[in-house]
Coordinates of all heavy atoms in Angstrom, one line a residue:
G103 N -5.2 20.4 -2.5 CA -4.7 20.7 -1.2 C -4.1 19.5 -0.5 O -4.0 19.5 0.6
I104 N -3.6 18.6 -1.3 CA -3.0 17.3 -0.8 C -1.6 17.5 -1.0 O -1.1 17.9 -2.0 CB -3.7 16.1 -1.5 CG1 -5.0 16.0 -1.6 CG2 -2.9 14.9 -1.0 CD1 -5.7 15.0 -2.4
P105 N -0.8 17.2 0.1 CA 0.7 17.3 0.1 C 1.3 16.4 -1.0 O 0.7 15.3 -1.3 CB 1.1 16.9 1.5 CG -0.1 17.1 2.3 CD -1.2 16.8 1.4
D106 N 2.4 16.8 -1.6 CA 3.1 15.9 -2.5 C 3.5 14.5 -2.2 O 3.5 13.6 -2.9 CB 4.5 16.7 -3.0 CG 4.2 17.9 -3.8 OD1 3.0 18.0 -4.4 OD2 5.0 18.8 -4.0
V107 N 3.8 14.4 -0.8 CA 4.2 13.0 -0.3 C 3.0 12.1 -0.4 O 3.2 11.0 -0.8 CB 4.7 13.3 1.2 CG1 5.0 11.9 1.8 CG2 6.0 14.0 1.2
I108 N 1.9 12.7 0.0 CA 0.6 11.8 0.0 C 0.2 11.4 -1.4 O -0.1 10.2 -1.7 CB -0.5 12.5 0.7 CG1 -0.1 12.9 2.2 CG2 -1.8 11.7 0.6 CD1 0.2 11.7 3.1
M109 N 0.4 12.4 -2.3 CA 0.0 12.1 -3.7 C 1.1 11.1 -4.2 O 0.7 10.2 -5.1 CB 0.1 13.4 -4.5 CG -0.9 14.4 -4.2 SD -2.7 13.6 -4.5 CE -2.7 13.5 -6.4
G110 N 2.3 11.2 -3.9 CA 3.3 10.3 -4.4 C 3.1 8.8 -3.9 O 3.2 7.8 -4.6
I111 N 2.7 8.8 -2.6 CA 2.5 7.4 -2.1 C 1.2 6.8 -2.7 O 1.2 5.6 -3.0 CB 2.3 7.5 -0.5 CG1 3.7 7.9 0.1 CG2 1.8 6.3 0.1 CD1 3.6 8.2 1.7
T112 N 0.3 7.7 -3.0 CA -1.0 7.2 -3.5 C -0.7 6.7 -4.9 O -1.2 5.6 -5.4 CB -2.1 8.2 -3.5 OG1 -2.3 8.7 -2.2 CG2 -3.3 7.7 -4.1
F113 N 0.0 7.4 -5.7 CA 0.4 7.1 -7.1 C 1.2 5.9 -7.2 O 0.9 4.9 -7.9 CB 1.1 8.3 -7.7 CG 1.4 8.0 -9.1 CD1 0.5 8.0 -10.1 CD2 2.8 7.8 -9.5 CE1 0.8 7.9 -11.3 CE2 3.1 7.6 -10.9 CZ 2.1 7.5 -11.7
L114 N 2.1 5.6 -6.2 CA 3.1 4.5 -6.0 C 2.1 3.3 -5.7 O 2.3 2.2 -6.3 CB 4.1 4.7 -5.0 CG 5.0 3.4 -4.8 CD1 5.8 3.3 -6.0 CD2 5.9 3.7 -3.6
A115 N 1.2 3.4 -4.8 CA 0.3 2.2 -4.4 C -0.5 1.9 -5.7 O -0.8 0.7 -5.8 CB -0.6 2.8 -3.2
A116 N -1.2 2.8 -6.3 CA -1.9 2.4 -7.5 C -1.1 1.8 -8.6 O -1.5 0.9 -9.2 CB -2.7 3.7 -8.1
G117 N 0.2 2.3 -8.7 CA 1.1 1.8 -9.8 C 1.4 0.2 -9.5 O 1.7 -0.6 -10.4
T118 N 1.6 0.0 -8.2 CA 2.0 -1.4 -7.9 C 0.7 -2.3 -7.8 O 0.9 -3.6 -8.0 CB 2.7 -1.5 -6.6 OG1 1.8 -0.9 -5.6 CG2 4.0 -0.7 -6.6
S119 N -0.4 -1.9 -7.7 CA -1.6 -2.6 -7.6 C -2.2 -2.9 -9.0 O -2.8 -4.0 -9.1 CB -2.7 -2.0 -6.8 OG -2.2 -1.8 -5.6
V120 N -1.9 -2.2 -10.0 CA -2.6 -2.3 -11.3 C -2.1 -3.6 -11.9 O -3.0 -4.4 -12.5 CB -2.4 -1.1 -12.2 CG1 -2.7 -1.4 -13.7 CG2 -3.2 0.1 -11.7
P121 N -0.8 -4.0 -12.0 CA -0.4 -5.3 -12.6 C -1.1 -6.5 -11.8 O -1.5 -7.4 -12.5 CB 1.1 -5.3 -12.3 CG 1.5 -3.9 -12.2 CD 0.4 -3.2 -11.5
D122 N -1.2 -6.3 -10.5 CA -1.8 -7.5 -9.8 C -3.3 -7.6 -10.2 O -3.8 -8.7 -10.3 CB -1.8 -7.3 -8.2 CG -0.3 -7.5 -7.8 OD1 0.5 -8.2 -8.4 OD2 0.1 -6.8 -6.8
C123 N -3.9 -6.5 -10.3 CA -5.4 -6.5 -10.7 C -5.5 -7.1 -12.2 O -6.4 -7.8 -12.4 CB -5.9 -5.1 -10.7 SG -7.6 -4.8 -11.2
M124 N -4.7 -6.6 -13.1 CA -4.7 -7.1 -14.4 C -4.4 -8.8 -14.4 O -5.2 -9.5 -15.1 CB -3.7 -6.6 -15.3 CG -4.0 -5.1 -15.6 SD -5.5 -4.9 -16.5 CE -6.3 -3.8 -15.6
A125 N -3.6 -9.1 -13.6 CA -3.2 -10.6 -13.6 C -4.5 -11.4 -13.0 O -4.9 -12.4 -13.5 CB -2.0 -10.9 -12.7
S126 N -5.0 -10.8 -12.0 CA -6.3 -11.5 -11.3 C -7.4 -11.5 -12.5 O -8.1 -12.5 -12.5 CB -6.7 -10.7 -10.2 OG -5.8 -10.9 -9.2
L127 N -7.6 -10.4 -13.1 CA -8.6 -10.4 -14.1 C -8.4 -11.4 -15.3 O -9.4 -12.1 -15.7 CB -8.8 -9.0 -14.8 CG -9.4 -7.9 -13.9 CD1 -9.3 -6.5 -14.6 CD2 -11.0 -8.2 -13.7
I128 N -7.2 -11.5 -15.6 CA -6.9 -12.5 -16.8 C -7.2 -13.9 -16.3 O -7.9 -14.7 -17.0 CB -5.4 -12.3 -17.1 CG1 -5.3 -11.0 -17.9 CG2 -4.9 -13.6 -18.0 CD1 -3.8 -10.7 -18.2
V129 N -6.7 -14.3 -15.1 CA -6.9 -15.7 -14.6 C -8.4 -16.0 -14.3 O -8.9 -17.1 -14.4 CB -6.1 -16.1 -13.4 CG1 -4.6 -16.0 -13.9 CG2 -6.3 -15.2 -12.3
A130 N -9.1 -14.9 -13.9 CA -10.5 -15.0 -13.6 C -11.3 -15.4 -14.8 O -12.2 -16.1 -14.9 CB -11.1 -13.8 -12.8
R131 N -10.9 -14.6 -15.9 CA -11.6 -14.8 -17.3 C -11.3 -16.1 -17.8 O -12.1 -16.6 -18.6 CB -11.3 -13.7 -18.1 CG -11.9 -12.4 -17.8 CD -11.6 -11.4 -18.8 NE -12.3 -10.1 -18.5 CZ -12.1 -9.1 -19.1 NH1 -11.3 -8.9 -20.1 NH2 -12.8 -7.9 -18.7

Side-chain angles (χ1 to χ4, degrees):
I104 302 171
D106 289 342
V107 173
I108 301 299
M109 290 300 290
I111 291 171
T112 303
F113 183 71
L114 179 66
T118 58
S119 297
V120 168
D122 292 330
C123 179
M124 291 296 128
S126 294
L127 285 172
I128 290 169
V129 296
R131 288 185 178 170

